[in-house]
Amino acid sequence: MFAKEVYWQRRKILRERLGEGLILFSGNEESAMNYSANTYHFRQDSSFLYFFGIDKPGFYGLCDVDKDRDTLYGDDFTIDDIIWMGEQPAVSDLAASVGAEASATIKDLETVLKQALQAGRKIHILPPYRGDHFLTLSRLVGLDQEGIKKLVSQELIDAVVGLRSIKDQYEIDEIEKAVDVAGLMHTTAMKMAFPGNFERELAGAIEGIALAHGGPVSFPVILSMDGQTLHNHYHGNELSAGRMVVCDAGAQTALCYASDITRTFPVGGLFSSQQKDIYNIVLKANTETIKASIPGRTYREVHLMAARIIAGGLKDLGLMKGNTEEAVAAGAHALFFPHGLGHMLGLDVHDMEGLGENHVGYSKSLKRSDQFGLAYLRLGRELEPGFVITNEPGCYFIPALIDQWRGEKKHAEFINYDQVEKFRGFGGVRIEDDVLITETGSRVLGTPIPKTVEEVEETMKV
Ligand code: GLY
Ligand code: MN
Ligand code: MN
């Protein structure tokens, strides 16, 4: 955990921004995999972690804005818990460690919340995203699911997004640790990417690295020779010469901060000239748009710059044609680059997405586009110092999409479909880094991970 003052200060600012009422943060419960004693790896709710820091199931945090008081609620551990789980701290010790008052029973919370509602006080909650959140909240406040939904507070969402979007030095240090573990994961995958090995062997090895560093992985490993499938979790193929592996994977630190890194590398260690052509276009989109990621510029502008670099590069290769600006404005590049340039990163891989993607990535003055491709851009708004974002351009050859667009003659004035056919079966390339927006520009976080054609081939030399 961070020092207790960190949590205390965050809650103080939050209370000041809310003005009145009670703010309730639900910690997560264990989640059953196939029967209740066999659980998934426990993952605490990220906003609860941010404000109350306790990484254990069964806790609630309540900030009383009117009384300037924060209370941690949880049932004290019993002797049965201690027999199965070992010695446990008292709720009062846990509360003291994050600068809050303690109440050692959840029943007290139920009483406080029901009294508050009867007295007409406002209770602010964040959007529930697990079924059991509704059940427990329903019991605690005595409202049905529709009543719970009415407690979801836009004021609270805005205040939490405002705070969590700007990372402090403690958080940046944690994310850099997560990136460094990811670096080891990716270089290990590169060194294993030889014909005869199976994708699952690479995926298993890198997941093990995250675990060995205190992990788990920050999201299920995406690793496949079929990199044209953007989030491919199937790892059953045997690696074969002439293909590339897209590996999109990150680690979670002990304090639950995430990294999210993608590298693409050739099976056998050497890129073909066709692979280099596409790879270097994506690399240019990545490096040029990291340089262009500066405070005051919208990430939508930066995304469109990446799109123009990719479309321009594909035009040089004869896959696209016509005016590049016009092609991108029309959305023709999205045949090859159908997703967004990136998203916020922090305690969540897609940071704060559970609070509503548009509340995090867009603003009153900038609304999300509905154009195919641009609509998938999770972060469009103006960049600010302290944002940690991903930069992840890609270029893919998705047979079903090519066939659909070709059949419809879609954007035929910008796409040379006959040339595109030559890349059917190519797969895809994505390169992803984690980037801090500074006062004057941006900085790629962590120790550099091999990225140029030469660096990747050097890493894979046997
Ligand atoms: N790892 C998923 C993503 O890059 O958004
Ligand atoms: Mn990723
Ligand atoms: Mn990402």
Side-chain angles (χ1 to χ4, degrees), residues 409-424:
K409 298 191 172 50
K410 191 160 172 172
H411 298 308
E413 66 276 39
F414 298 118
I415 297 169
N416 274 324
Y417 283 105
D418 287 343
Q419 292 301 314
V420 173
E421 286 303 331
K422 295 183 182 156
F423 286 76
R424 188 181 278 274

Side-chain angles (χ1 to χ4, degrees), residues 144-155:
D144 63 12
Q145 191 165 323
E146 290 312 305
I148 300 296
K149 283 186 188 161
K150 291 199 183 103
L151 299 183
V152 173
S153 160
Q154 190 60 47
E155 260 178 292

Side-chain angles (χ1 to χ4, degrees), residues 281 310-324 416:
I281 292 170
I310 291 168
L314 292 175
K315 184 176 163 186
D316 293 342
L317 292 181
L319 298 175
M320 291 190 73
K321 58 188 175 181
N323 180 291
T324 298
N416 274 324

Side-chain angles (χ1 to χ4, degrees), residues 208-222:
I209 291 171
L211 289 167
H213 284 80
V217 286
S218 48
F219 57 93
V221 170
I222 295 162

Side-chain angles (χ1 to χ4, degrees), residues 360-381:
V360 178
Y362 289 84
S363 62
K364 285 197 176 64
S365 58
L366 184 70
K367 300 290 172 217
R368 186 189 279 252
S369 164
D370 57 10
Q371 185 189 65
F372 177 77
L374 195 49
Y376 287 120
L377 178 62
R378 301 177 196 281
L379 173 64
R381 72 181 162 111

